Amino acid sequence: MNEESEWIQRARQGDRRAYKLLYDRHAAALFRFLHRFSSNRSDVEEWVQRAFIKAFHQLDAFNEQARFSSWLFRIGINEMKDDGRKVGKILTMEPEALPGTAEDDDFEWEATMQTLLDELSESQRMVFILTEVEGYTHAEIAGMLGFTEGTSRSLLSRAKQHLRVRWITEGKRA
Amino acid sequence: MIRPEDFYEQEGTLNEGDRRRIWKGIRRSLPAGRHPLLFITDARSFFYGMAAAVLLGFALLGGMQAVRLVQDPPETRLVLAYQSAISQFEAVVPVSTGAPGQAQSGQVQSWKNQLVLVDAAIVVLRLDIRENGPSPVKQTKLRELYALKLQVLQTMIENGGIEL
């Protein structure tokens, strides 16, 4: 059993110190990810807090075959979506991937692409960050965001295409 | 893969103050866990309970002793001792327990009459104790009667009133 599994087991038995260890490990990553979708820090803190509280109360339902972080991210994203729904802001999901959609292996990230990220749809932005920065698989992302792996791959491909095209047309390429 | 430190902006990071504040909110919503102080309180309760159990044990022992003393007080044991002594004495000198006979001297007759009277008083008092319960006065009286009986028997022996 790795240390995180041990913390989860202890947290299930009510050990708050063990749960604090999980918090210390994952809170920063969840915060910085969610902060990409809202500039309001207090909102983001609220989502992170609620995510950890919900995760604690649902620990018995956590499948230890998956990574704790991917499960936590899903809860955090849902908290953000719930708040968005309350203010009439719906996170739009892309349609199912078309057959034959392939990932863009030629993509290279450039720091100057940061400003172009806001041009992506929320779903594309989420998938892009979760794969390219946070290192999640399409299977994990599909579980987090509630669509299929194919959709996740398609979203990433479209995101990369958009970024590359815009980066070139914006004259960013030296 | 893009390195997080190259991707995320500084304002997207959690500082220590934010981290503590968020955790404080989370902790308030978690069920109370085992706190070292609670553990200490539990241990203290355990030791208090053990001490109370020991004291209760002693109290029970004391109570049982008291009940035994009430049912079998020292006076009763003393009476039994008197009875035992008298029985053994009468077993050795059976002449003293016989009905008064005309051939014996007046003094011996007097002693024997005293013994009869004392025996009768002992019987009545023991009956009373059995039916109505003991009391310090009755126990004292009974003891005196047994002592008197022994004294009479002793006197009879010393003065030749009993053929050994």
Side-chain angles (χ1 to χ4, degrees):
Chain A
M1 185 191 285
N2 61 37
E3 64 176 1
E4 199 165 281
S5 293
E6 190 197 324
W7 298 342
I8 292 168
Q9 287 295 338
R10 283 165 47 195
R12 277 181 174 144
Q13 289 159 18
D15 187 342
R16 294 200 290 186
R17 276 188 287 192
Y19 199 62
K20 175 73 166 42
L21 293 169
L22 288 167
Y23 169 80
D24 288 339
R25 178 169 284 189
H26 298 292
L30 181 61
F31 183 90
R32 70 190 180 200
F33 172 75
L34 293 176
H35 193 265
R36 288 299 307 214
F37 301 91
S38 171
S39 55
N40 188 322
R41 275 186 84 86
S42 63
D43 280 351
V44 179
E45 284 184 21
E46 177 78 19
W47 297 334
V48 170
Q49 190 170 295
R50 280 175 4 206
F52 273 94
I53 293 170
K54 270 197 182 163
F56 182 87
H57 289 289
Q58 293 171 11
L59 269 177
D60 285 340
F62 169 62
N63 176 7
E64 291 187 61
Q65 301 298 319
R67 279 196 283 177
F68 180 79
S69 59
S70 68
W71 184 64
L72 183 68
F73 266 56
R74 183 175 76 177
I75 297 173
I77 290 167
N78 284 338
E79 289 302 314
M80 181 178 68
K81 283 189 204 174
D82 286 348
D83 269 11
R85 273 193 279 271
K86 284 175 194 165
V87 296
K89 185 182 169 194
I90 308 295
L91 189 69
T92 54
M93 287 298 160
E94 303 286 329
E96 277 291 322
L98 294 170
T101 305
E103 279 195 46
D104 189 341
D105 293 329
D106 292 334
F107 180 82
E108 233 178 88
W109 171 256
E110 299 288 341
T112 47
M113 287 180 178
Q114 278 280 5
T115 53
L116 300 174
L117 279 173
D118 292 336
E119 294 178 7
L120 302 175
S121 70
E122 274 190 353
S123 307
Q124 288 174 346
R125 203 171 350 135
M126 267 196 192
V127 173
F128 180 84
I129 297 171
L130 288 169
T131 52
E132 299 299 307
V133 183
E134 297 294 343
Y136 289 105
T137 64
H138 288 289
E140 287 173 316
I141 293 167
M144 280 185 218
L145 300 181
F147 43 64
T148 64
E149 264 187 73
T151 301
S152 179
R153 290 179 196 283
S154 173
L155 286 167
L156 179 63
S157 176
R158 291 183 201 180
K160 285 179 175 179
Q161 284 172 17
H162 179 92
L163 288 172
R164 188 168 357 104
V165 165
R166 290 288 292 124
W167 189 68
I168 291 168
T169 58
E170 283 285 301
K172 305 290 185 187
R173 176 173 270 181
Chain B
M1 206 168 126
I2 307 166
R3 296 194 316 167
E5 52 270 26
D6 293 337
F7 179 81
Y8 291 108
E9 289 147 4
Q10 191 58 33
E11 63 251 29
T13 55
L14 262 183
N15 60 43
E16 195 49 42
D18 298 333
R19 188 186 282 272
R20 273 201 296 269
R21 184 173 53 252
I22 295 172
W23 174 250
K24 207 172 162 183
I26 293 167
R27 195 182 59 205
R28 269 200 299 266
S29 299
L30 301 184
R34 276 173 41 172
H35 191 277
L37 183 59
L38 285 178
F39 175 75
I40 291 171
T41 302
D42 285 341
R44 205 160 42 193
S45 297
F46 171 75
F47 289 123
Y48 284 154
M50 289 301 290
V54 169
L55 287 172
L56 187 64
F58 281 129
L60 280 173
L61 278 173
M64 283 165 59
Q65 187 77 0
V67 167
R68 203 165 52 235
L69 285 174
V70 167
Q71 290 177 343
D72 184 22
E75 291 82 0
T76 303
R77 289 200 291 277
L78 199 56
V79 165
L80 290 172
Y82 274 121
Q83 286 176 332
S84 174
I86 291 167
S87 297
Q88 288 174 23
F89 185 85
E90 287 174 347
V92 173
V93 286
V95 177
S96 67
T97 59
Q102 289 181 339
Q104 294 170 344
S105 68
Q107 184 59 54
V108 172
Q109 191 59 47
S110 172
W111 286 331
K112 284 186 179 179
N113 289 340
Q114 286 178 37
L115 284 175
V116 168
L117 290 171
V118 168
D119 280 340
I122 288 171
V123 166
V124 168
L125 190 51
R126 285 180 66 184
L127 191 64
D128 178 47
I129 289 171
R130 195 179 310 125
E131 287 180 357
N132 301 312
S135 72
V137 171
K138 292 178 192 175
Q139 295 287 357
T140 304
K141 194 65 189 172
L142 191 59
R143 202 166 49 245
E144 287 172 355
L145 285 171
Y146 279 120
L148 180 60
K149 185 171 179 180
L150 279 172
Q151 193 179 352
V152 171
L153 288 170
Q154 188 179 357
T155 304
M156 287 171 71
I157 294 169
E158 288 172 353
N159 292 279
I162 294 173
E163 291 289 331
L164 296 173

